[in-house]
């Protein structure tokens, strides 16, 4: 495993991180979830990402049990707050009340005294930003979160948060968690330049476009049994990637991966790690074999000619409009 700094902080994280969205407490049974976490640890992954909302809060519990007994100093545990965790008007968003309540509930479920990174899962247009930043800072001062990050915030939202933190002497945002892969490149034009200047690292989600970039979905064919596209919840999220044009172009990447001595999933993950502003790629998995395959993307250097061929093949299906980064206008 290779390690990178989380943004401009002293914290090092594994450049391949393991995330449990749609899997723990949902698509996969607990023994498979534990086996994936065990495989991740064996392969040198130290960084684990979850969220209060995943599987209706069950994902944090599953991860907490899977990591139980692991030396706390050997792992970095990341979680998030924003999406609803209950029926109440205050069970969501980034108010001081919900941040404090959700943070404490996450710590209980994860069986830990602190999380290494606490992330705002979206921007909350209905809470003053200084209230959110102050609440996050209090968590840091109390030792319940070591670092603060955001997810899917726009460049102007990140800039506004940095300004408040600097003016009020509060802890600064150290990371952003955006979707980023060979097809979805919307962070490149605005977010990455700002974050490079400000010392904010990207920890990117869906580096394999939810499995599409592994090449296992063939155009015009039914999805393989047991894949996310056949999962009741997962299928809604992956559906936008299952267009025939995308799937046939992904098949054209196969010789590129072969010639680089990589599988398609390794090529996809390695591609995200070529961006120096990326601190880690968060990979999901339903089976330990997937984790073992995926970690081999660590430390891989892709030649400029390989990157050019990827661009030539995927060009027409690449999404790069920065306006695609947006949080719900109203609290969900
Ligand atoms: N901040 C946010 O808003 C946000 C949003 C989404 C995700 N995330 C984070 O990012 C993490 C990763 O997201 P993701 O799961 O969509 O990422 P991904 O790594 O692009 O996709 C993972 C899925 O692809 C399939 N897969 C993985 N390795 C494979 C392999 N070697 N061969 C074939 N199939 C393979 C598995 O699904 P099947 O086996 O079921 O096909 C696996 O669950 C999440 O767990 C979460 O921590 C954050």
């Amino acid at each position: 495993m290779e390690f990178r700094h989380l943004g401009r902080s002293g914290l090092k994280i594994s450049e391949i991180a393991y995330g449990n969205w749609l899997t723990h407490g949902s698509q996969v049974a607990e023994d498979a979830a534990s086996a994936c976490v065990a495989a991740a640890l064996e392969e040198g992954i130290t960084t684990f990402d979850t969220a209060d909302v995943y599987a209706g809060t069950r994902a944090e519990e599953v991860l907490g049990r899977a990591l139980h007994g692991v030396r706390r100093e050997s792992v970095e545990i990341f979680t998030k707050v924003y999406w609803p965790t209950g029926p109440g008007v205050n069970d969501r968003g980034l108010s001081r009340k919900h941040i404090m309540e959700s943070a404490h509930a996450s710590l209980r479920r994860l069986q830990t005294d602190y999380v290494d990174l606490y992330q705002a899962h979206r921007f909350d247009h209905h809470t003053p930003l200084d209230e959110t930043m102050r609440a996050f800072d209090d968590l840091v001062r109390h030792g319940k979160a070591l670092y603060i990050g955001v997810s899917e915030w726009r460049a102007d939202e990140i800039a506004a948060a940095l300004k408040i933190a600097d003016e009020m002497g509060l802890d600064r945002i150290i990371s952003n968690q955006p979707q980023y892969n060979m097809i979805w490149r919307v962070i490149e034009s605005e977010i990455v330049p700002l974050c490079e200047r400000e010392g904010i690292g990207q920890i990117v989600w869906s580096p394999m476009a939810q499995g599409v970039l592994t090449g296992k979905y063939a155009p015009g064919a039914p999805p393989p049994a047991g894949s996310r596209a056949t999962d009741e919840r997962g299928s809604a999220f992956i559906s936008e990637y299952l267009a025939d044009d995308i799937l046939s172009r992904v098949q054209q990447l196969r010789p590129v991966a072969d010639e680089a001595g990589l599988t398609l999933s390794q090529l996809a993950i390695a591609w995200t790690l070529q961006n120096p502003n990326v601190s880690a790629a968060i990979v999901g998995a339903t089976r330990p074999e997937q984790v073992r395959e995926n970690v081999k993307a660590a430390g891989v250097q892709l030649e400029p000619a390989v990157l050019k061929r990827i661009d030539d093949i995927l060009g027409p299906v690449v999404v790069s409009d920065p306006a695609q980064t947006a949080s719900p206008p109203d609290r969900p």
Side-chain angles (χ1 to χ4, degrees):
M1 182 52 60
E2 302 283 324
F3 296 84
R4 296 186 181 196
H5 282 277
L6 180 63
R8 199 187 286 153
S9 78
L11 180 69
K12 286 215 163 177
I13 63 174
S14 53
E15 67 176 22
I16 297 186
Y18 173 90
N20 71 357
W21 177 54
L22 294 175
T23 54
H24 292 191
S26 184
Q27 186 188 352
V28 302
E30 181 122 1
D31 54 351
S34 309
C36 287
V37 171
L41 290 165
E42 276 168 32
E43 297 292 338
I45 289 178
T46 60
T47 306
F48 293 85
D49 183 74
T50 186
D52 55 357
V53 68
Y54 292 170
T57 70
R58 290 188 306 279
E60 286 186 331
E61 289 174 6
V62 174
L63 184 63
R65 285 193 289 271
L67 289 175
H68 187 71
V70 174
R71 184 175 173 267
R72 182 64 185 85
E73 295 82 352
S74 305
V75 288
E76 302 83 44
I77 302 176
F78 297 178
T79 194
K80 319 185 191 81
V81 58
Y82 169 84
W83 295 102
T85 49
V89 288
N90 284 314
D91 293 328
R92 60 205 67 218
L94 298 177
S95 68
R96 166 175 284 273
K97 177 172 170 66
H98 185 55
I99 286 175
M100 291 300 165
E101 289 170 350
S102 192
H104 288 111
S106 288
L107 294 178
R108 277 196 299 275
R109 289 189 290 263
L110 288 163
Q111 304 182 43
T112 181
D113 297 329
Y114 64 92
V115 288
D116 295 271
L117 181 70
Y118 199 52
Q119 304 158 97
H121 212 157
R122 291 294 182 272
F123 187 84
D124 180 358
H125 294 281
H126 294 270
T127 299
L129 192 47
D130 55 343
E131 176 179 335
T132 297
M133 296 305 291
R134 172 81 77 190
F136 279 154
D137 186 70
D138 285 345
L139 285 175
V140 172
R141 281 171 200 257
H142 290 147
K144 305 210 173 196
L146 305 190
Y147 297 91
I148 292 303
V150 299
S151 173
E152 292 293 339
W153 281 28
R154 291 156 28 133
D156 59 333
E157 293 162 347
I158 294 173
L162 293 174
K163 186 162 179 282
I164 286 172
D166 290 347
E167 283 171 4
M168 296 173 68
L170 305 176
D171 203 56
R172 289 182 120 228
I173 290 166
I174 201 66
S175 65
N176 177 43
Q177 187 175 137
Q179 180 172 188
Y180 186 53
N181 58 52
M182 293 193 279
I183 296 171
W184 194 264
R185 307 186 188 185
V186 306
I187 58 170
E188 287 181 349
S189 59
E190 294 181 359
I191 304 265
V192 167
L194 170 78
C195 290
E196 276 178 336
R197 276 197 309 278
E198 297 290 348
I200 293 172
Q202 312 298 326
I203 43 178
V204 305
W205 59 268
S206 294
M208 289 175 278
Q210 303 194 38
V212 166
L213 290 170
T214 69
K216 70 181 178 182
Y217 297 101
S227 63
R228 183 172 295 181
T230 63
D231 179 56
E232 197 185 332
R233 269 183 51 71
S235 58
F237 291 101
I238 199 175
S239 61
E240 279 189 31
Y241 279 120
L242 296 175
D244 276 355
D245 191 20
I246 293 179
L247 301 184
S248 27
R249 286 174 190 279
V250 171
Q251 294 305 320
Q252 293 172 43
L253 292 173
R254 210 173 277 284
V256 182
D258 288 347
E259 284 166 41
L262 301 169
T263 65
L264 275 172
S265 55
Q266 291 160 355
L267 180 75
I269 298 163
W271 183 91
T272 67
L273 294 170
Q274 304 307 296
N275 185 327
N277 190 226
V278 170
S279 295
I282 316 172
V283 300
T286 55
R287 294 182 256 291
E289 308 82 79
Q290 293 176 346
V291 180
R292 295 191 199 285
E293 177 183 343
N294 300 341
V295 290
K296 296 199 179 69
V300 168
Q301 292 285 329
L302 298 177
E303 297 297 327
V306 171
L307 299 175
K308 164 104 181 37
R309 282 174 75 192
I310 293 170
D311 289 349
D312 290 344
I313 291 167
L314 293 179
V317 297
V318 165
V319 183
S320 49
D321 179 4
Q324 292 284 341
T325 299
S327 297
D330 294 317
R331 271 194 202 155

